Amino acid sequence: MPAPPSIPANHPTTRPTVPLPGVLGLLTSFSVMSSIGFGGVFPWARTMVVEQRRWLTQDEFNEIFAFCQFLPGPNMLNFAVVFGARCAGAIGSLVALFGLLMPPTLIVIALAVLYGFYGDMPSIQGILAGEAAAAAGLIIGASGRIAAPLFRRRAGPAPYVAVALFIAIGIFRLPLVWVLAAGTPISIALAWWWRR
């Protein structure tokens, strides 16, 4: 099996030269992400970390987020812990986690109080239905951006594994636990075989 082609130095998936943030940068970045992440922080996190700040390449973000998907707990909390540790060790993990959790906690408490007073109004129900559609669109758009690098270049078996898992879970409605239990070792074995 021939080795995969090398990636040129100016390719968008090569490691950026931008330094990783420190403790203050983690706190402010994750606070901003979580404050504007109505409908889900994931699309905003990817945009900020990969496209705006260039702290990670597309591939690095995909690898870290894939790892976080398999850890127990919410994906974005896992991402904050892993990325924070990469930037500033254990303190970075705690600061990123605090930045991710504190602003939305305060916002949700305030919104819950308002919803308690005005939640039965028909206009509020319409707003909530529209927000649900917008949140789904944000997640679909961000997922498409994550998948794009896999299909744009020779990524070996990764795109085929992604499509197979999507079909198994999304179309055939197979149980997520069993699909992941079968798909994980298969995808690891295929990636190892492709890169050897």
Side-chain angles (χ1 to χ4, degrees):
M1 177 96 197
S6 60
I7 299 173
N10 61 354
H11 194 276
T13 59
T14 56
R15 184 74 183 92
T17 56
V18 178
L20 292 174
V23 172
L24 184 60
L26 284 169
L27 179 64
T28 56
S29 298
F30 277 88
S31 295
V32 168
M33 268 185 238
S34 63
S35 298
I36 64 174
F38 289 91
V41 178
F42 167 69
W44 301 105
R46 190 203 170 278
T47 299
M48 180 178 286
V49 171
V50 175
E51 296 172 13
Q52 293 176 352
R53 307 286 170 86
R54 298 176 46 111
W55 288 328
L56 296 174
T57 64
Q58 296 174 29
D59 291 339
E60 287 173 326
F61 181 88
N62 290 354
E63 288 169 7
I64 291 173
F65 203 78
F67 174 67
C68 293
Q69 295 258 14
F70 285 100
L71 296 174
N75 299 332
M76 279 311 303
L77 292 182
N78 294 340
F79 179 79
V81 169
V82 172
F83 184 70
R86 182 177 182 154
C87 296
I91 293 291
S93 290
L94 291 173
V95 167
L97 199 57
F98 180 80
L100 187 67
L101 289 175
M102 192 50 58
T105 300
L106 297 174
I107 291 169
V108 166
I109 289 171
L111 290 177
V113 170
L114 291 173
Y115 185 77
F117 288 111
Y118 305 109
D120 293 334
M121 295 174 59
S123 58
I124 298 297
Q125 297 299 320
I127 289 170
L128 294 176
E131 285 181 352
L138 284 170
I139 292 170
I140 291 169
S143 299
R145 279 194 233 140
I146 280 182
L150 297 177
F151 293 94
R152 239 185 273 146
R153 57 186 170 79
R154 274 184 73 201
Y160 305 107
V161 171
V163 170
L165 293 178
F166 172 78
I167 290 170
I169 296 169
I171 296 175
F172 291 117
R173 304 283 187 204
L174 297 176
L176 176 66
V177 172
W178 295 112
V179 172
L180 290 179
T184 300
I186 291 171
S187 64
I188 290 171
L190 287 172
W192 173 81
W193 173 75
W194 173 256
R195 293 185 181 186
R196 68 183 171 87

